[in-house]
Amino acid sequence: MPVSQCHRFARQGANRRHAVGCHTDRERSVAPVKWEKEMKSTTFACAAAAAFAFGLTAMPASARDMTYGSYTSPTSTTMRTGIAPLLKRLEDQSNGEMKWETFTGGAMGGAKELLGNAGSGILDASLVVDIYVKASLPHASLISGMMVVGENPLAMAGAMNEFQLLHCPGCLKDHEKNNVKAMGFTATGTYHLICKDEIHTAEQLRGKKVRAVASVGRAIQALGGTPVSITLPEMYEAMQRGQIDCATGSAAWLDTYNLQDFSKSIVTDSLGSYFGSMNFVINKDVWDDLSEANQKIIKANMARVSADVVFAYAPEGAEAIKNFEAKGGKAYTFDDEMQARLAKARADEYAYTIAFGKKNGIENAEELVTTFEKLVDKWTGIVKEIGNDKEAYIQRLQTEVYDKI
């Protein structure tokens, strides 16, 4: 059985996989940022070749060899603490019936292509970030776009899992239209303003170009900056070349995406978090071909992969700030004026999202937003109850969501 779509295509001619620039994680020896930069020109080469050779039809699920694609580097928090351990567990618990080969750093599609590559069968499964494919996932991205309200990533991850899998028929229909089954939703750590110069006041931020998406972009605009839409893999190079003055994101990215190379300041006040990462998006035909036992194994691991990622961000962020300050970087807080502007942006977000959804054809936008808001309240209470107990969080996510699907 095939070990990857690249290997499938390679069978059409010797070493074709390497000829088109498609490599597995085991074949990489370059730094993550350098790898992502070098792979830009070959992101689609292997995928296109495989798609042409196999007519964009999903291959039958292999008993042993399956593929997983991500646009992030193998050392990113998501891959290192969440996906890699997940795929190893799936292999072990299935006694080798599900053996995974990973393609990271955009080797088999960037942030905007991975959903389509999983749905078409170029990949068996992938990581998907819904805000980069809004047209394909309108219901999910409507909700995850409210990043600025995500002050508690643990609560947001719990709420998003329950919302998408149990309370959003439109989300499930969107998955079906894209020929995928999506599970294992998670959140990043809280977002912060990370800048090349000292910036923490309205005057300092005025006119500065800031990598910010969705409602964080609107918040940056309210704070006086100019939001620029740039994907995560493009962020490092954009800051290096001066295309942006600042980035918004997890403090952990100072280390994992090497933003410390150019940055002089970070604001420790939270700008929210992104809570729409789909850790496990599997081709629907592949899913249907799996045995019932292996489907149960996957579902039994989704609560843990969600928790593994979201629980990793806070300590890694704190460690990154510590390292940043040791190298001369400065951590600041917003002044009163900036705090007030941010609070207003956060308070306005639910109403904005309802209006935006209705304007863009989601007739039940108010119902969706209201339902999600109630789930955030529910999961905020759960997190308050269990504290920082990761195992208790996994158990609640399992019983509240995954035992019901």
Coordinates of all heavy atoms in Angstrom, one line a residue, residues 71 99 299:
Y71 N 1.1 23.3 7.2 CA 1.9 24.4 6.7 C 2.9 24.9 7.7 O 3.8 25.6 7.4 CB 1.0 25.5 6.3 CG 0.3 26.2 7.4 CD1 0.9 27.3 8.0 CD2 -1.0 25.8 7.8 CE1 0.3 28.0 9.1 CE2 -1.6 26.5 8.9 CZ -1.0 27.5 9.5 OH -1.6 28.2 10.5
K99 N -0.5 4.0 10.2 CA 0.9 4.5 10.3 C 1.0 5.7 9.4 O 0.7 5.7 8.2 CB 1.9 3.4 9.7 CG 3.4 3.7 9.9 CD 4.2 2.6 9.5 CE 5.7 2.9 9.8 NZ 6.6 1.8 9.4
K299 N -11.4 9.1 17.4 CA -12.3 10.0 18.2 C -11.8 10.0 19.7 O -12.0 11.1 20.4 CB -13.7 9.5 18.1 CG -14.3 9.8 16.8 CD -15.8 9.6 16.7 CE -16.2 8.1 16.7 NZ -17.6 7.9 16.5

